[in-house]
Amino acid sequence: MPIMTVELFKGRTREQKRELVQALTDTYVRVMGGRPDSVTIILSDVAKEDWAVAGELMADKYPD
Amino acid sequence: MPIMTVELFKGRTREQKRELVQALTDTYVRVMGGRPDSVTIILSDVAKEDWAVAGELMADKYPD
Amino acid sequence: MPIMTVELFKGRTREQKRELVQALTDTYVRVMGGRPDSVTIILSDVAKEDWAVAGELMADKYPD
Amino acid sequence: MPIMTVELFKGRTREQKRELVQALTDTYVRVMGGRPDSVTIILSDVAKEDWAVAGELMADKYPD
Amino acid sequence: MPIMTVELFKGRTREQKRELVQALTDTYVRVMGGRPDSVTIILSDVAKEDWAVAGELMADKYPD
Amino acid sequence: MPIMTVELFKGRTREQKRELVQALTDTYVRVMGGRPDSVTIILSDVAKEDWAVAGELMADKYPD
């Protein structure tokens, strides 16, 4: 009955998201047991101007 | 002094949100006591392509 | 398919939690529609020394 | 640079947690690319009395 | 190795965000020790119609 | 009206937490404006066995 929240950079395609949630769910069930339909995943897209490491916005460190 | 975060599908109207936060606040105060102004609620709209159950994106399971 | 997370002060009884999750679920379904079994609630107990308002720990403002 | 938060039932062993974070990290990197050291995972143990579905505490539905 | 998540009203400029993450990181390191590059900050913009206090949407209390 | 959540390693003293929430609140208000009593902070203690980077539990990387 896990809930996984994944904060990741904005801009992933539908296809990448589809593959990611499938793979994370499979991995969880393989390691921890349980049924796939007990696994909920929420993807949270974060813009580079909303993510900082060492006091620096990722939008400044990695401008488009 | 509770903080309630509600992750729900994107697309609710302002009127639905208005009614929801009013009703959840009333419910919390009725059951737990305290004052309404101590209750904070944050609504977090989640797109169907960012929510998965059983490894399947809700955008694939319930296409528009 | 909402997920509600409720951050509240540690120390609630099992009976209070039981009543709270029942009431919040009923309220959500009444206002927004959907089925009760689509509603997940996670209660997150927060100690008074881990919660601050205006820069003051609740453990200092409301000592036991 | 993803952050994965996994809310799961309390009571997993250190060994299960070790295996889980390794496998989720490998899976993320395999699917999405990037370096393993960019992946942070936080496990959040949730007691059965703090988790409810359909208005019922898991502690009531699945008593020990 | 802290992760700070800051939920704040939508509408801040890039410059305000830049200054905020720099200042919060400096403050954390000054008080708690550690290295700045261990501090991750995620800013989460919340619309006024998604934030409620006392059962009232901020969009209703503070209309634009 | 920001809410700051700080995930940090378990084991900080009350005095460190007191100093941290005071300093973060002051910093927020200095940079962003607003009143200190609009700032809520929640500290979330994370055990080293619940935090992983690069697929390795911090409890394994930094044993006590």
Side-chain angles (χ1 to χ4, degrees), chain D residues 10-39:
Chain D
K10 196 178 288 226
R12 304 307 189 160
T13 64
R14 171 79 59 93
E15 182 49 36
Q16 285 178 301
K17 293 179 175 184
R18 184 180 288 130
E19 193 181 352
L20 180 63
V21 300
Q22 176 71 67
L24 291 177
T25 302
D26 289 351
T27 298
Y28 188 91
V29 169
R30 178 172 54 76
V31 174
M32 302 297 271
R35 291 158 37 204
D37 62 8
S38 70
V39 181

Side-chain angles (χ1 to χ4, degrees), chain A residues 1-5 7 27 51, chain D residues 1-3 5 7 27 51:
Chain A
M1 218 158 266
I3 298 171
M4 276 192 251
T5 304
E7 293 169 297
T27 298
W51 196 308
Chain D
M1 218 157 268
I3 298 173
T5 304
E7 292 170 297
T27 298
W51 196 309

Side-chain angles (χ1 to χ4, degrees), chain B residues 1-9 12 16 19-20 23-24 27-28 30-32 51 53 58 62, chain C residues 1-9 12 16 19-20 23-24 27-28 30-32 51 53 58 62:
Chain B
M1 217 159 269
I3 298 172
M4 276 190 250
T5 304
V6 185
E7 292 169 298
L8 74 181
F9 280 139
R12 305 306 190 160
Q16 285 178 301
E19 193 180 352
L20 180 63
L24 290 177
T27 298
Y28 189 91
R30 178 172 54 75
V31 173
M32 302 297 270
W51 196 309
V53 175
M58 293 298 98
Y62 304 113
Chain C
M1 219 157 268
I3 299 172
M4 276 191 249
T5 304
V6 185
E7 292 170 298
L8 75 180
F9 280 139
R12 304 307 189 162
Q16 285 178 301
E19 193 180 352
L20 180 63
L24 290 177
T27 298
Y28 189 91
R30 178 172 55 75
V31 174
M32 303 296 272
W51 196 308
V53 175
M58 293 298 98
Y62 303 112

Side-chain angles (χ1 to χ4, degrees), chain A residues 8-11 45-53 56-64, chain D residues 1, chain E residues 14 17 21 41 43:
Chain A
L8 75 180
F9 280 138
K10 195 177 289 224
D45 294 334
V46 180
K48 289 195 298 182
E49 78 165 50
D50 289 324
W51 196 308
V53 175
E56 183 180 18
L57 296 177
M58 292 298 98
D60 289 333
K61 189 166 185 179
Y62 304 111
D64 292 323
Chain D
M1 218 157 268
Chain E
R14 172 78 60 92
K17 292 180 175 184
V21 300
I41 298 178
L43 305 178

Side-chain angles (χ1 to χ4, degrees), chain C residues 44-55:
Chain C
S44 176
D45 295 333
V46 180
K48 290 196 297 182
E49 79 166 49
D50 290 324
W51 196 308
V53 175

Side-chain angles (χ1 to χ4, degrees), chain E residues 44-61:
Chain E
S44 177
D45 294 333
V46 180
K48 290 194 297 182
E49 78 166 47
D50 290 324
W51 196 309
V53 175
E56 183 180 18
L57 296 178
M58 292 299 98
D60 289 333
K61 188 165 186 180

